[in-house]
Amino acid sequence: MDSGLDWHYARAALEWQLELGADEAIGETAVDRFAAEVELQAARAAAAVAQAPAGGGAMPPQRIDEGPDPVAVAQQAAAAAATLDDLREAMAAFEHCELRRGARNLVFSDGVAQARVMIVGEAPGRDEDLQGKPFVGRAGQLLDRMLGAIGLSRAENVYITNVLPWRPPQNRDPKPDEIAMLTPFLARHIALVAPEVLVVMGNISCDALLGKRGITRLRGKWAEAQGLPALPMFHPAYLLRQPQMKREAWADLLELKAKLRAGA
């Protein structure tokens, strides 16, 4: 049927709708989707009756997911790790996180074990994935300068890790289930290092350790995580994008220095 609508105008209108988020074509005839769902459920019920045992006994309930709970598996594996080397091996053997399949390396840690300060970042980026160490790109270089300004160094008195040991595709934010299944390893990591204070860098880290997000509101205020004093701070990658926030980061570094001087 010729509607008389200009082809170019119609295409422009369609592209505009796609930009707005329309992802489904709706026909001119109304469809009662509730009735369709009822019919589908009735068909499933009929099929279940047809497959029922001849003796009339009830069919045993079927589990949708027969696989193990990844969080429970992680908790068990983490608890069994008696050393940092054990923990690294347990994480490398953990098969339930899909991130590991697209990553080049497991990014475990850097710095000095049993350091006074333990920094928890978010997830590896491209440089970290290539080298297998946390904070080695531009953000890592900035972090080193920040630590050096208050007399700290990953070579002497700082230990660094991330919430996630594998790089998410395209550096996307980790999903809630990914954070949940890897948090038991992080908790065990902190227990084995036994630092005096934690520095929690970025929203993902605050989510995993504090159960909160909103780093602009949280930063600079001491909290408690895993039974330790924890200081939320801006992630160095954020400071590279927002250099005007370095003043707040400097104030947080001075707060950390004062805490260490007072004996945590």
Side-chain angles (χ1 to χ4, degrees):
M1 180 179 68
D2 185 5
S3 65
L5 185 64
D6 178 74
W7 183 89
H8 296 286
Y9 177 84
R11 175 168 179 164
L14 179 60
E15 291 177 347
W16 177 72
Q17 292 181 61
L18 290 173
E19 287 291 330
L20 290 178
D23 59 1
E24 183 177 356
I26 305 299
E28 295 181 359
T29 304
V31 177
D32 188 344
R33 300 187 185 276
F34 293 102
E37 179 64 22
V38 170
E39 292 177 2
L40 178 60
Q41 294 294 339
R44 288 175 176 170
V49 170
Q51 295 174 5
M59 294 182 65
Q62 298 295 315
R63 287 182 55 190
I64 296 176
D65 180 13
E66 297 290 344
D69 177 11
V71 176
V73 174
Q75 289 172 339
Q76 184 176 7
T83 66
L84 290 173
D85 287 340
D86 291 344
L87 185 65
R88 179 196 290 268
E89 292 178 4
M91 294 172 71
F94 185 68
E95 296 283 350
H96 301 279
C97 183
E98 291 297 322
L99 293 178
R100 71 193 307 275
R101 309 190 195 288
R104 290 180 175 86
N105 286 297
L106 182 145
V107 179
F108 185 70
S109 69
D110 195 17
V112 180
Q114 283 73 52
R116 297 186 70 191
V117 178
M118 183 173 182
I119 295 175
V120 179
E122 298 182 326
R126 178 180 178 275
D127 294 320
E128 289 76 14
D129 184 36
L130 289 172
Q131 297 188 38
K133 290 184 179 181
F135 287 95
V136 294
R138 290 181 60 218
Q141 295 168 11
L142 176 57
L143 175 61
D144 288 341
R145 293 195 296 271
M146 292 166 62
L147 295 174
I150 59 170
L152 296 177
S153 162
R154 70 173 84 194
E156 297 178 0
N157 45 26
V158 173
Y159 187 85
I160 305 173
T161 191
N162 284 317
V163 174
L164 271 65
W166 296 291
R167 179 193 182 193
Q170 306 301 318
N171 291 342
R172 66 161 171 77
D173 283 349
K175 299 176 182 178
D177 64 316
E178 294 166 346
I179 296 174
M181 72 176 70
L182 292 169
T183 297
F185 292 114
L186 176 60
R188 186 58 179 158
H189 208 154
I190 293 170
L192 290 171
V193 175
E196 294 180 24
V197 297
L198 293 171
V199 176
V200 187
M201 287 190 156
N203 269 322
I204 303 303
S205 307
C206 288
D207 188 4
L209 290 175
L210 305 177
K212 301 177 182 178
R213 292 204 183 198
I215 189 62
T216 303
R217 172 175 46 85
L218 296 171
R219 57 141 291 270
K221 300 175 183 176
W222 285 99
E224 182 176 310
Q226 299 297 314
L228 296 170
L231 181 64
M233 288 184 61
F234 289 129
H235 195 285
Y238 174 80
L239 296 175
L240 289 173
R241 299 191 302 269
Q242 303 289 339
Q244 71 275 14
M245 305 304 290
K246 289 182 179 180
R247 173 182 295 182
E248 284 77 3
W250 175 240
D252 297 344
L253 288 169
L254 294 178
E255 182 69 24
L256 174 62
K257 182 178 181 179
K259 186 78 168 178
L260 294 171
R261 182 175 294 172

